[in-house]
Amino acid sequence: MSEHAARRDTALRMRLAAVGLAVALPCSAVTVASHVSAAGAQATATKVVTANYELTAAINEANTNIAISDYSLYGESLEDMNKELDLMQSMGVTDVRVSIPWDDIQKSAGTFDWSKLDTVVDAVEARGMGFLGIVHQTPKWASASPYSIFSAATVPKDMNTLATFASALATRYAGRIAGYEMYNETNFGLSFRPTNGTAYAAVLKAVYPVIKAADPNALVIGGVVATTPEIAGLTLTPAQLVKQMYDAGAKDYFDALSYHAYQYGVAFSEGANVKNTALWQLLSLRDLMVQYGDGDKEIWGTEFGQPSTGGAEAAQVALISNFLTTWRTYSWTGPVFVHTVLDKDS
């Protein structure tokens, strides 16, 4: 067992059972990986546990479903990956969110190496779990700025290259990968460039038709925005990017919107009337979707967590509990993916 694997089921055991939200928790909660805020600060958070649901290859879209986001499953050793998935399953987790790095799978035009992704998909499928993939990291050869340090965050210079990859991906894993998120935290300049909804709408327009042609049941999750105020030259608020996305004609090119409600140290429920808090921005997104005639679509929480460093575990439990309780009061919200199984920095 690796050093990381040995830390998976340790001091956080039973912590979230105390919040009364986890009916399928036999023995453990788990730490989550670091997330970088707009200010560049790293923090770690904690995994909550899901209710019992029938295991299925599809993703449970209910807002009571608590899943796990774990980028690192892609490329992990088979031993570590199996241990993490077994731990998830032992807690009743039925859905997992995993990185699908385009630049690693298609290192040059016309060539594909599916071996790492095959391993993850096989392992997730063997457990009857739903698979949400994050399609991101533009290869340098396809990037609009191939020599920039931001190459992986930059949109392709030719959207046909992304469409070709998305088609090959959805064809290969038809019926096995339940949903695809396009890029990650697209309102952050370090994650998606150019940071505007027009560029992001072009991504959705390129991939949605080919994914649906290859696998009509696969979901395309758009937006993938995170809580932040506008920071000139670096970020847009979630609503700013999504409004631009709608204005560029993206309405018919995604099945649900994704939002990462990170806001460390602030109770989610207290922010409804406080500008730029996580809840205020969530409600702003909902109002925008209704305004554009998209009120029938859900908002998914595909990443969420709170820090547990510095002995703040009691506060962490309270904040995560508050988020989950509040999230579930809105009929238009979807599943929550808590980020992630393992604290890589501990």
Short mmCIF file of all heavy atoms in Angstrom, two decimals, residues 26 32 60 97 127 156 161 174-175 263 280 283 294:
data_model
loop_
_atom_site.label_atom_id
_atom_site.label_comp_id
_atom_site.label_asym_id
_atom_site.label_seq_id
_atom_site.Cartn_x
_atom_site.Cartn_y
_atom_site.Cartn_z
N PRO A 26 -21.00 3.67 6.47
CA PRO A 26 -20.69 2.59 7.39
C PRO A 26 -19.57 2.91 8.35
O PRO A 26 -19.57 2.46 9.48
CB PRO A 26 -20.30 1.44 6.46
CG PRO A 26 -19.77 2.12 5.25
CD PRO A 26 -20.53 3.40 5.11
N VAL A 32 -10.32 15.73 1.11
CA VAL A 32 -10.42 16.10 -0.28
C VAL A 32 -9.19 16.87 -0.72
O VAL A 32 -8.48 17.46 0.06
CB VAL A 32 -11.67 16.95 -0.55
CG1 VAL A 32 -12.92 16.24 -0.10
CG2 VAL A 32 -11.57 18.29 0.11
N ASN A 60 -27.07 9.68 -11.05
CA ASN A 60 -28.27 10.04 -10.31
C ASN A 60 -28.34 11.56 -10.24
O ASN A 60 -27.49 12.21 -9.63
CB ASN A 60 -28.20 9.45 -8.90
CG ASN A 60 -29.45 9.75 -8.09
OD1 ASN A 60 -30.19 10.67 -8.40
ND2 ASN A 60 -29.67 8.98 -7.05
N ARG A 97 -16.61 11.86 -10.54
CA ARG A 97 -16.20 12.83 -11.57
C ARG A 97 -14.69 12.70 -11.75
O ARG A 97 -13.93 12.82 -10.80
CB ARG A 97 -16.58 14.23 -11.11
CG ARG A 97 -16.16 15.38 -12.02
CD ARG A 97 -16.68 16.68 -11.42
NE ARG A 97 -16.40 17.86 -12.22
CZ ARG A 97 -15.46 18.76 -11.95
NH1 ARG A 97 -14.68 18.60 -10.87
NH2 ARG A 97 -15.28 19.82 -12.72
N ARG A 127 -17.97 -1.41 -10.94
CA ARG A 127 -18.65 -1.16 -9.67
C ARG A 127 -20.06 -0.61 -9.87
O ARG A 127 -20.73 -0.25 -8.91
CB ARG A 127 -17.81 -0.21 -8.82
CG ARG A 127 -16.52 -0.86 -8.32
CD ARG A 127 -15.51 0.17 -7.84
NE ARG A 127 -14.34 -0.47 -7.25
CZ ARG A 127 -13.31 -0.94 -7.96
NH1 ARG A 127 -13.31 -0.86 -9.30
NH2 ARG A 127 -12.29 -1.53 -7.36
N PRO A 156 -9.14 25.66 -28.64
CA PRO A 156 -8.45 25.23 -29.86
C PRO A 156 -8.47 26.33 -30.93
O PRO A 156 -9.41 27.12 -31.01
CB PRO A 156 -9.24 24.01 -30.32
CG PRO A 156 -10.03 23.58 -29.14
CD PRO A 156 -10.30 24.81 -28.33
N THR A 161 -11.02 20.35 -34.38
CA THR A 161 -10.13 19.39 -33.71
C THR A 161 -10.77 18.92 -32.40
O THR A 161 -10.67 17.74 -32.04
CB THR A 161 -8.76 20.01 -33.43
OG1 THR A 161 -8.90 21.18 -32.60
CG2 THR A 161 -8.05 20.40 -34.71
N ALA A 174 -19.53 5.10 -25.44
CA ALA A 174 -20.99 5.20 -25.49
C ALA A 174 -21.62 4.21 -24.51
O ALA A 174 -21.28 3.03 -24.49
CB ALA A 174 -21.49 4.94 -26.90
N GLY A 175 -22.52 4.72 -23.67
CA GLY A 175 -23.17 3.89 -22.68
C GLY A 175 -22.34 3.62 -21.44
O GLY A 175 -22.82 2.97 -20.50
N GLN A 263 -16.60 28.77 -1.10
CA GLN A 263 -16.48 30.04 -0.36
C GLN A 263 -16.09 29.69 1.07
O GLN A 263 -16.93 29.57 1.94
CB GLN A 263 -17.76 30.86 -0.40
CG GLN A 263 -17.55 32.25 0.19
CD GLN A 263 -18.65 33.19 -0.21
OE1 GLN A 263 -19.79 32.80 -0.34
NE2 GLN A 263 -18.29 34.45 -0.42
N TRP A 280 -25.60 33.74 -3.32
CA TRP A 280 -26.05 34.87 -4.14
C TRP A 280 -25.72 34.62 -5.61
O TRP A 280 -26.56 34.85 -6.49
CB TRP A 280 -25.37 36.15 -3.66
CG TRP A 280 -25.88 37.42 -4.29
CD1 TRP A 280 -26.90 38.21 -3.84
CD2 TRP A 280 -25.39 38.04 -5.48
NE1 TRP A 280 -27.07 39.29 -4.68
CE2 TRP A 280 -26.16 39.22 -5.69
CE3 TRP A 280 -24.37 37.73 -6.39
CZ2 TRP A 280 -25.93 40.07 -6.78
CZ3 TRP A 280 -24.16 38.57 -7.48
CH2 TRP A 280 -24.93 39.74 -7.66
N LEU A 283 -28.07 31.87 -7.03
CA LEU A 283 -29.39 32.40 -7.33
C LEU A 283 -29.36 33.32 -8.55
O LEU A 283 -30.32 33.35 -9.35
CB LEU A 283 -29.94 33.14 -6.11
CG LEU A 283 -30.17 32.26 -4.88
CD1 LEU A 283 -30.58 33.12 -3.68
CD2 LEU A 283 -31.21 31.19 -5.14
N ASP A 294 -34.48 28.88 -19.90
CA ASP A 294 -33.82 27.62 -19.59
C ASP A 294 -34.12 27.15 -18.17
O ASP A 294 -33.33 26.43 -17.57
CB ASP A 294 -32.30 27.78 -19.75
CG ASP A 294 -31.75 26.89 -20.86
OD1 ASP A 294 -32.53 26.16 -21.48
OD2 ASP A 294 -30.52 26.93 -21.10
#
